Amino acid sequence: MRRRGRQRAVIDPRPDTVARTGRFKYKPGTRIMLLQEGTWMDAHVVDYFGLRDGNRHRVRLGAARDTDEAVPTMVLDLNESNHGKLLFPSVTKYAESRAQYYKELAAKHSAIRDEATGKELRVEYQRIYLAPNEEQVDVIPEDKGGGVPAAGSHDERSLPLREFLDSLISASARDASSTWSRIVRVGSRAEIELLQQQLLFLLSARLGEGSSRIGLVPIVISSMSKLAEPAEGAAKKRSGSALTRVFESDYGAQAEMLKQAMAMRSLVIVLQITDTSDMLHLTEAIIEELLSNCTIVICTDPEIVPEALRARCECWRIAGLGLFANDAELGDKHLKELLRRMLPRGIATESHYCRIVRLHIGSTLGAPGDFR
């Protein structure tokens, strides 16, 4: 318990209410990026106060080589939330590299192939509704005005994926006392693919809107075996992180940007866990690294997720899907196959099409009676 004037603040330190902090000790002249009034800014260290004062430093805004001495210094306790060691020439250069990555990620995950029709569908138009895993009733938000399901519509038991992500990356979600990571239970590999595509596209679009406050960087780990692969070559040995090696295998040109994001604990890690064999690659060190960032675990059974990770996550599930195919040319054959797959077939053979609660299609049907 700590007194604040006449008020008392009760502190209950537990694994789910606190976050481990690091020890920071920088030499004078070290370049850092500092969070000031919601904006990341260039700064450098003027002085370190010593071990007795913990992480307290004297800093000044601006680069060390061209700082105006008239700019006043500030005394701050540096932590993971308010600063990061700058690995780029400037904050602007880092933001440019991050913006380019958002564009590449959005382009890579902008379309998905529909199994029933064989058509490419635009990911931005599809809808996924999530609900807390303990919920038993799938209640899907009503659309206002028809057409594409409204991205902002919701009720207490179901949440559109867009709103799910907005709450996840909001400033309040980054509080140490909040549960930041999530587990999403899916029913099939098709749902894994659909959810992953939507997550990465929506995250890149949302984070690429230009907010300097939200500097998160999405990364996907679709193959757990990559975490166990030995580093090959001097470049990979220098990375020193299994997560960095996974990233470099797909976006080698963006390796420095990822290292900067990792230093700031700003990764959004989309992690696939499909069976118990994946657990062999989740070492204690990797789990700790996952928990130091925002992690979204996609799995068919939350019980196979290691307890150390599961205990720090909220558990959600897919409650419904919205399929938008207005921009695809669908014939009678396509529609018959699509509607056939939407029919309930029992739990053992149920597909993700049985979860469709919003269907938007454009088609030139045959004469009455042709469609059966």
Side-chain angles (χ1 to χ4, degrees), residues 124-129 140-153 160 162 321-326 357-360:
E124 64 180 307
Y125 290 156
Q126 311 313 310
R127 294 291 181 265
I128 296 179
Y129 302 96
I140 306 304
E142 291 187 8
D143 294 336
K144 306 298 182 181
V148 181
S153 59
R162 281 177 169 82
L321 302 174
L323 181 65
F324 180 92
N326 282 14
V357 293
R358 297 283 185 269
L359 179 61
H360 299 261

Side-chain angles (χ1 to χ4, degrees), residues 42 122 128 169 179 197 225 260 291 309 332 355 361:
D42 292 282
R122 293 175 63 176
I128 296 179
I169 63 179
T179 302
Q197 291 286 93
S225 61
Q260 181 72 79
L291 290 174
L309 178 58
D332 293 357
R355 296 185 187 269
I361 55 178

Side-chain angles (χ1 to χ4, degrees), residues 23-276:
R23 177 186 172 189
F24 300 101
K25 177 183 177 181
Y26 296 123
K27 297 179 180 179
T30 301
R31 295 181 300 116
I32 63 174
M33 51 194 309
L34 191 66
L35 186 62
Q36 287 288 291
E37 298 181 356
T39 301
W40 290 103
M41 306 182 69
D42 292 282
H44 68 277
V45 174
V46 176
D47 192 19
Y48 170 59
F49 283 76
L51 181 61
R52 184 174 181 179
D53 288 299
N55 291 334
R56 187 161 298 178
H57 291 72
R58 186 182 301 277
V59 301
R60 177 181 279 126
L61 296 179
R65 63 178 180 275
D66 57 4
T67 296
D68 185 353
E69 293 296 332
V71 177
T73 61
M74 299 176 288
V75 176
L76 299 172
D77 287 321
L78 299 180
N79 56 58
E80 291 87 348
S81 299
N82 66 7
H83 91 292
K85 187 174 181 180
L86 188 58
L87 306 180
F88 280 72
S90 67
V91 172
T92 300
K93 291 294 184 182
Y94 169 58
E96 290 174 353
S97 178
R98 194 178 64 213
Q100 179 61 33
Y101 174 68
Y102 292 152
K103 292 180 181 179
E104 293 177 4
L105 200 66
K108 183 177 181 180
H109 299 280
S110 62
I112 189 169
R113 185 178 182 275
D114 179 61
E115 292 180 3
T117 63
K119 300 290 185 177
E120 290 285 324
L121 303 180
R122 293 175 63 176
V123 169
E124 64 180 307
Y125 290 156
Q126 311 313 310
R127 294 291 181 265
I128 296 179
Y129 302 96
L130 302 179
N133 194 41
E134 64 270 18
E135 292 283 352
Q136 298 300 318
V137 180
D138 294 344
V139 178
I140 306 304
E142 291 187 8
D143 294 336
K144 306 298 182 181
V148 181
S153 59
H154 69 282
D155 68 13
E156 294 180 355
R157 289 167 290 180
S158 178
L159 197 65
L161 185 60
R162 281 177 169 82
E163 293 188 12
F164 173 84
L165 292 177
D166 282 345
S167 66
L168 191 64
I169 63 179
S170 65
S172 60
R174 304 195 67 175
D175 185 10
S177 62
S178 300
T179 302
W180 196 22
S181 295
R182 304 286 188 268
I183 295 174
V184 181
R185 179 170 63 85
V186 297
S188 64
R189 287 191 174 274
E191 289 183 6
I192 291 178
E193 177 68 15
L194 180 61
L195 179 58
Q196 178 177 292
Q197 291 286 93
Q198 281 253 322
L199 282 171
L200 294 172
F201 179 84
L202 293 176
L203 279 170
S204 58
R206 173 71 174 86
L207 298 172
E209 291 175 352
S211 172
S212 57
R213 175 64 180 90
I214 303 175
L216 303 177
V217 178
I219 173 177
V220 61
I221 302 178
S222 57
S223 175
M224 296 292 292
S225 61
K226 288 185 177 182
L227 295 174
E229 290 177 358
E232 297 178 1
K236 288 190 176 182
K237 289 181 180 179
R238 286 196 299 269
S239 69
S241 167
L243 296 181
T244 303
R245 293 198 300 270
V246 171
F247 184 88
E248 288 175 337
S249 67
D250 295 327
Y251 293 94
Q254 300 286 356
E256 289 302 311
M257 185 274 298
L258 174 67
K259 292 175 184 177
Q260 181 72 79
M262 290 183 65
M264 299 169 62
R265 297 191 176 187
S266 295
L267 292 177
V268 180
I269 303 168
V270 179
L271 178 68
Q272 286 188 21
I273 297 180
T274 55
D275 53 51
T276 54

